Amino acid sequence: MAAAAPPPPPTPTPTPANTLPETPIGNPLFVRIRLADKDDVPHLHKLIHQMAVFERLTHLFSATEDSLSSTLFNSPPFQSFTVLILEVSQTPFSPDQHHNNPIYPPIIRIVNLDLPINDPETEVFRSSRDGVVVAGFVLFFPNYSTFLAKPGFYVEDLYVRDCYRRRGFGKMLLTAVASKAVKMGYGRVEWCVLDWNLNAIRFYEEMGAEVFQEWRICRLTGESLQALGGN
Amino acid sequence: MAAAAPPPPPTPTPTPANTLPETPIGNPLFVRIRLADKDDVPHLHKLIHQMAVFERLTHLFSATEDSLSSTLFNSPPFQSFTVLILEVSQTPFSPDQHHNNPIYPPIIRIVNLDLPINDPETEVFRSSRDGVVVAGFVLFFPNYSTFLAKPGFYVEDLYVRDCYRRRGFGKMLLTAVASKAVKMGYGRVEWCVLDWNLNAIRFYEEMGAEVFQEWRICRLTGESLQALGGN
């Protein structure tokens, strides 16, 4: 996002997406979290733009598919900027050579819904590769704590499309980042939230996050950055 | 720092360190900013500990020289965690093969002081390599703006030892980061400040930084991180 890591519209009462029924009943939705790559840029660009609209920050939005392509996916995942894509399907995911990335085997869950989700943008977000539908993403990268002398992850963006919210998908994405942090021996996972977004704050606190009230983000950008650093 | 990028005690009225007299008069102090490496870890560890004491956060401080050594300087500078060291000398710096890093030629300035600085820790912070004295550091790493589709730099720590404050050295370190960001075509430089540190906020705003009032930092660490990501 344009500002400092806008949280997703929170999922205030996440459904227990991690407790999977052995035999899905009702309306099962198959959910996959996998590493993104350059092929995902068209969908990613649309998701980021949606986020800018949601945050009423389109005046700060200047990303293009080309600029995303040239700045992302140039380093090994988890060492630098990393994107995980959230996909859904009404039928089980077929084994897929492309997505069975040995660096990060996809996470697959089944969520049982009372009613099927009506997604008005199914075709816009349908994958040309295997026909599943992109529902959200998380973008994060390593940061560092000198007090801990350990890296961590900073979550810049966490976004779930409107019709998929309040199903626990935001928590699934954040859990995926936290799991990777724990596996890598990292010391923390951080992100930002708007102070008036009380639902998000409650959601994050329920997940065990501490929300710091005293710190403020400072930013040099545009002409100010040029003025200080342009000589 | 332990918390989210504590700013240095600000230099509220920075002296114009960048306007160098051709012929130093009075009490010239020679100042160098250079890339740090593993040899700097003992001094770096002491500086970080001083910062923890200053911020009354020593209970969060667990870094050791070994843990810093094993987690820093493992990637090419500016691609990942990067440290610039601020050094001072009462005599001109001798040309030094070791420090003339082609990736980042040292920045050298001369600051003319009304009175010499009385540094009670000169010997603790004297370099065994060339006898100059370490006065501060900045630690930063790339971050990413999806709205700009550009990387930036996040400044985790900016610290100048007490007796060297209010001389413009903090601004010199931040300017060094901003300059590198501009050279790399990056879109922004960010850091955090405590909301009650009005001197620091004024100082940053005078440098052209925007201070965001609405964003709050969220953090998962320790048991909470394990609880969410430990499965």
Side-chain angles (χ1 to χ4, degrees), chain A residues 18 107 109 175-176 178-180 182-183, chain B residues 225-231:
Chain A
N18 288 328
I107 297 169
R109 297 281 184 268
T175 300
S179 297
K180 192 68 187 176
V182 168
K183 282 194 183 80
Chain B
L225 177 59
Q226 287 291 331
L228 190 69
N231 298 318

Side-chain angles (χ1 to χ4, degrees), chain A residues 1-2 146-147 157 190 195 214, chain B residues 1-2 146-147 157 195 214:
Chain A
M1 26 126 321
T146 41
F147 278 18
D157 286 330
E190 293 179 306
D195 66 341
E214 290 190 323
Chain B
M1 28 134 312
T146 41
F147 279 18
D157 286 330
D195 66 340
E214 290 190 323

Side-chain angles (χ1 to χ4, degrees), chain A residues 1-2 62-63 71 144 146-147 157 187-191 193 195 210 212 214 216-221 224, chain B residues 1-2 62-63 71 144 146-147 157 187-191 193 195 208 210 212 214 216-221 224:
Chain A
M1 26 126 321
S62 61
T71 53
Y144 189 82
T146 41
F147 278 18
D157 286 330
R188 63 192 190 187
V189 173
E190 293 179 306
W191 63 95
V193 65
D195 66 341
E210 188 174 1
F212 292 86
E214 290 190 323
R216 296 290 175 271
I217 294 161
C218 303
R219 181 183 300 163
L220 274 171
T221 190
S224 299
Chain B
M1 28 134 312
S62 60
T71 52
Y144 190 82
T146 41
F147 279 18
D157 286 330
R188 61 191 194 189
V189 173
E190 293 178 306
W191 63 95
V193 65
D195 66 340
E210 187 174 0
F212 293 86
E214 290 190 323
R216 297 290 176 272
I217 295 160
C218 303
R219 181 182 298 162
L220 274 170
T221 190
S224 299

Side-chain angles (χ1 to χ4, degrees), chain A residues 87-130:
Chain A
E87 290 169 325
V88 297
S89 173
Q90 293 185 346
T91 55
F93 295 99
S94 55
D96 176 341
Q97 197 65 26
H98 188 93
H99 289 143
N100 279 337
N101 191 323
I103 297 172
Y104 191 78
I107 297 169
I108 295 178
R109 297 281 184 268
I110 308 171
V111 179
N112 204 40
L113 305 170
D114 291 338
L115 293 171
I117 291 172
N118 179 24
D119 180 355
E121 295 177 301
T122 299
E123 294 315 312
V124 176
F125 285 100
R126 192 178 292 284
S127 166
S128 60
R129 265 193 310 227
D130 56 6

